[in-house]
């Protein structure tokens, strides 16, 4: 597989203090046309796997259109790196999978609501993430994995994060360090 990372913009519905893009949130997103043109160029260059990243790509009103466009262009795998919250919305996970989403990597930064929500500075984010994972599983997404940013407040809780990932059925996870 040859993977293309499609950057969609900096906007996000979380406020992670450790995010490399935190100070860029107000910058305008890439237009639908710009992202689709990048997808077309990637396909011409032989890429067959695309991962939508941001900020938070799933909050775009045209996210499902981007997923469908990627599939129409022939990407074998269409992925999203996400905080998972949008997938908790009724029907959204099912619509995304139907549009062609094959892989999802959720960002889980704490094994409890208090730790995760504190790190992402968004009350309710943990519960929405868990609902999103359940909805994606029910919708039949092909591959579901996770990433965890390793930061001082969660270092002692990484074992609890790993246990939660196993309970959720996520068998692939990355523990990553923050980009300076």
């Amino acid at each position: 597989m040859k993977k293309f990372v499609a950057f969609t913009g900096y906007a996000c519905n979380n406020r992670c203090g450790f995010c490399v893009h935190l100070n860029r949130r107000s910058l305008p997103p890439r237009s639908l046309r710009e992202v689709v043109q990048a997808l077309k160029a990637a396909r011409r260059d032989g890429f067959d796997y695309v991962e939508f990243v941001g900020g938070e790509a799933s909050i775009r009103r045209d996210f499902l259109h981007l997923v469908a466009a990627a599939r129409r262009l022939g990407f074998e795998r269409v992925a999203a790196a996400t905080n998972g919250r949008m997938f908790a919305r009724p029907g959204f996970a099912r619509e995304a999978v139907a549009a062609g989403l094959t892989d999802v990597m959720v960002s889980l930064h704490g094994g409890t609501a208090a730790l995760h929500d504190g790190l992402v500075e968004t009350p309710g984010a943990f519960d929405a993430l868990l609902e999103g994972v359940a909805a994606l599983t029910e919708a039949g997404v092909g591959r579901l994995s996770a990433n965890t940013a390793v930061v001082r407040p969660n270092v002692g809780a990484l074992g609890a994060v790993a246990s939660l990932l196993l309970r959720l059925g996520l068998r692939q996870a990355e523990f990553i360090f923050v980009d300076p």
Side-chain angles (χ1 to χ4, degrees):
M1 301 238 81
K2 191 173 175 184
K3 180 179 176 181
F4 176 68
V5 177
F7 180 75
T8 62
Y10 297 106
C12 187
N13 53 351
N14 279 351
R15 293 179 298 281
C16 307
F18 51 81
C19 181
V20 68
H21 299 308
L22 185 62
N23 295 325
R24 299 179 182 126
R25 295 282 187 242
S26 63
L27 295 175
R30 292 179 76 189
S31 71
L32 175 63
R33 181 184 173 132
E34 288 173 313
V35 178
V36 170
Q37 290 303 320
L39 293 174
K40 289 177 179 177
R43 284 297 294 142
R44 282 192 302 272
D45 290 341
F47 289 87
D48 51 7
Y49 176 8
V50 61
E51 180 179 1
F52 291 106
V53 301
E56 177 58 43
S58 71
I59 65 173
R60 291 177 61 110
R61 291 176 198 232
D62 57 8
F63 177 72
L64 297 175
H65 297 291
L66 287 173
V67 170
R71 290 298 284 180
R72 277 193 309 275
L73 289 168
F75 283 94
E76 188 176 325
R77 289 174 64 182
V78 178
T82 177
N83 62 35
R85 292 176 51 205
M86 287 295 293
F87 295 96
R89 289 191 171 187
F92 189 76
R94 188 175 54 256
E95 291 171 9
V97 170
L101 190 66
T102 62
D103 301 50
V104 175
M105 178 183 280
V106 296
S107 295
L108 177 67
H109 305 298
T112 64
L115 180 55
H116 180 83
D117 290 359
L119 286 170
V120 303
E121 299 182 30
T122 306
F126 181 81
D127 290 338
L129 167 61
L130 296 185
E131 289 174 30
V133 167
L136 285 160
T137 300
E138 184 178 312
V141 72
R143 293 171 188 85
L144 189 55
S145 60
N147 72 51
T148 300
V150 178
V151 291
R152 186 170 287 137
N154 71 0
V155 167
L158 295 178
V161 171
S163 294
L164 175 59
L165 292 171
L166 289 172
R167 285 195 309 276
L168 294 173
L170 282 74
R171 300 294 184 249
Q172 180 178 343
E174 297 177 6
F175 289 81
I176 57 176
F177 294 102
V178 176
D179 293 328

